[in-house]
Amino acid sequence: MSSKALNRRRFLTTTAGLAGGAFTFPNLLLHGQNTASKKLNIAVIGALGKGQSDTQAIALDHNIVALVDVDKKRVEEAAAKHAKYFTDAGQTAPSTAPKLYQDFRKMLDENHKDIDGVVISTPDHTHFVAAMWALGYKKHVCVQKPLCNTIWEVRELHKAAKAAGVVTQMGNQGRTMEGQRLAKEWIEQGAIGTLKGINLWTNRPIWPQGPLKKVAATAPAELDWDLWLSSEASEPYFEFDIPTGQPNKRGKSVHPFNWRGWWQFGSGALGDMGCHIMDATFSILGQAIPVKIEVESGEVSEHCAPTWSSLKYHFAPGKNNPEPLVVSWQDGVKDGQANKPAKPEMMADLSEDGWKKASSGMIFQGTEAVVYEGDAYCASPSIYPSAKFMDTKKAMAAGTIKKTEARSPKPNNPQGEWAHCIVNGGTPSSNFDYSCPLTEFVLLGNLAIRSGKTVQWDKDAMKVTNDDAANKFIKRASYRDGWLKA
């Protein structure tokens, strides 16, 4: 794929139709700078791990002025790696190092006048409160996927971002890639006939899930456990027993990685991978929200997501699906086997070894062919049978299949795309007008899993219409005082 940025005029023109009601931003004066300097002052909340890679995505072009992590050891390590990153890139490190904090509230309260934007790369349960704190100061925000882990939070975050009038982005890199756009153009322009169904899958979870039992333990000295809990109810630090056969490479503590399987803190396999794997589907189906979700899964506990699930999202007819359509989602390991669909007959050209290696992927089933991607991001899709792919390539070369989707100025770099749009104008491709309903689509699967039954969804009323008990999972029961900014 090309790495050349679109010029500003083309980008603003072509992104106009990317997401309904999307913001369009003018060039901005940034703390006295003109836009030619293109240097934003950015704070990063969640500094190591994913936060580190998110920081590196923008560090060479912008100023990282603050790093925040509830774990003192991790934030200090992140600062050291930040400095080393410039040396490794053959550049001189900034003369001023980022300020280090453990509490994002204190960081924003003390530094908001000097900050343009905030990148949030924390566990899911802190996305909402951290983003809302930043939006309270009208800061541009880039939030890792999923934006939140309850649907109510997603809706509230969307409203707050619109009211603040800032540039927003979710960190799902596939949305910036060429492949997702090609898949949509092929399907919309008839390369596979009529779209009849979609299959999505992942090998996640790769962390412990299922009926886990909390075990009292002593918190690491460098970890501020109370800050880690953030808006969640106060409780003693804990670890957990790992059942036989569950992944155990990363220990038995929720910090810093194994939080994903806990409903309090994460969103299970869906939350981890859904905003990637469902992204192309969401775009191709015109950003539609399902009306019904059927569910089958392993054991679901009050605290944790199951080790596997199979969902059927039902969609009403739309632009690219003239008839009602089912999107099937599968995750985890079921009965000792990867929980994924059978290889379609139209994909006979794909070797069994190639199919086996597709631990995550997607299939768009058409009446004449299928679009297939054995990857989470839809980075490099193909068409099967292979002869149909050759026909499609010829049609693209001849101009009978056209490029109709806006391309990103920063492919494979959602943080870079976000910063680019703050400075130059334009609309990030996973801005909240797009990514909030995408996250809702994903989280509706968890709503069905937690309810244990088919749910019918009324998006306008934001409620399950056939099972009132399921509605308790739409919103957190409560928030601790001091975490929702007034």
Side-chain angles (χ1 to χ4, degrees), residues 28-31 33 39-45 63-68 98-99 101 103-120 133-135 137-142 166 418 422:
L28 303 174
L29 289 178
L30 306 165
H31 298 301
Q33 303 176 58
K39 285 283 187 180
L40 300 169
N41 290 337
I42 295 173
V44 179
I45 303 173
N63 304 317
I64 306 301
V65 297
L67 296 172
V68 184
K99 296 179 181 179
Y101 288 85
D103 189 336
F104 67 78
R105 299 169 300 176
K106 182 179 180 181
M107 182 277 292
L108 283 165
D109 288 348
E110 291 182 358
N111 299 279
H112 63 89
K113 292 181 180 179
D114 301 316
I115 292 172
D116 298 300
V118 180
V119 174
I120 299 168
W133 210 275
L135 290 172
Y137 285 118
K138 297 189 182 301
K139 302 305 170 186
H140 307 294
V141 289
C142 181
V166 298
W418 167 73
I422 295 170

Side-chain angles (χ1 to χ4, degrees), residues 116-370:
D116 298 300
V118 180
V119 174
I120 299 168
S121 306
T122 56
D124 298 353
H125 71 294
T126 50
H127 288 182
F128 176 67
V129 289
M132 292 294 279
W133 210 275
L135 290 172
Y137 285 118
K138 297 189 182 301
K139 302 305 170 186
H140 307 294
V141 289
C142 181
V143 184
Q144 260 304 328
K145 50 78 194 168
L147 288 176
C148 308
N149 66 353
T150 72
I151 292 170
W152 179 86
E153 288 180 344
V154 170
R155 297 279 187 104
E156 291 298 305
L157 184 63
H158 195 186
K159 288 190 291 187
K162 280 184 171 294
V166 298
V167 182
T168 60
Q169 178 84 308
M170 180 169 75
N172 52 327
Q173 53 264 52
R175 184 70 192 137
T176 68
M177 294 178 181
E178 175 79 358
Q180 186 185 121
R181 290 152 169 80
L182 288 173
K184 184 176 183 181
E185 290 160 353
W186 296 340
I187 290 169
E188 287 187 342
Q189 296 175 59
I192 64 171
T194 302
L195 183 64
K196 302 296 289 183
I198 301 172
N199 292 94
L200 312 171
W201 69 95
T202 181
N203 66 337
R204 265 56 165 191
I206 55 173
W207 51 83
Q209 283 192 183
L212 303 179
K213 180 182 177 182
K214 293 182 179 181
V215 178
T218 301
E222 62 272 13
L223 173 66
D224 189 321
W225 174 245
D226 190 68
L227 290 179
W228 194 94
L229 287 171
S230 67
S231 62
E232 281 293 289
S234 180
E235 65 174 303
Y237 180 82
F238 67 88
E239 295 180 345
F240 53 87
D241 292 329
I242 301 177
T244 302
Q246 290 263 15
N248 61 2
K249 292 182 179 179
R250 298 180 185 247
K252 53 184 180 179
S253 169
V254 294
H255 170 77
F257 179 78
N258 287 325
W259 49 267
R260 289 193 181 277
W262 296 79
W263 296 126
Q264 289 172 272
F265 313 124
S267 319
L270 274 164
D272 181 43
M273 297 304 293
C275 290
H276 292 312
I277 298 170
M278 295 178 171
D279 189 11
T281 291
F282 184 66
S283 176
I284 288 165
L285 295 183
Q287 303 169 36
I289 296 293
V291 296
K292 182 174 74 172
I293 305 95
E294 297 179 74
V295 61
E296 180 186 6
S297 76
E299 183 177 351
V300 182
S301 76
E302 176 187 357
H303 299 297
C304 295
T307 57
W308 66 270
S309 69
S310 297
L311 300 162
K312 291 183 178 180
Y313 291 85
H314 292 257
F315 286 83
K319 176 183 176 182
N320 290 328
N321 58 301
E323 300 294 330
L325 183 139
V326 173
V327 175
S328 296
W329 167 274
Q330 295 170 261
D331 64 51
V333 175
K334 180 182 179 183
D335 299 327
Q337 301 294 320
N339 187 26
K340 61 187 289 189
K343 187 175 76 169
E345 291 183 6
M346 287 185 183
M347 289 174 56
D349 295 345
L350 177 67
S351 70
E352 290 303 315
D353 187 56
W355 173 248
K356 185 177 180 180
K357 289 179 179 178
S359 57
S360 295
M362 57 201 75
I363 298 171
F364 299 91
Q365 304 172 25
T367 52
E368 300 173 15
V370 302

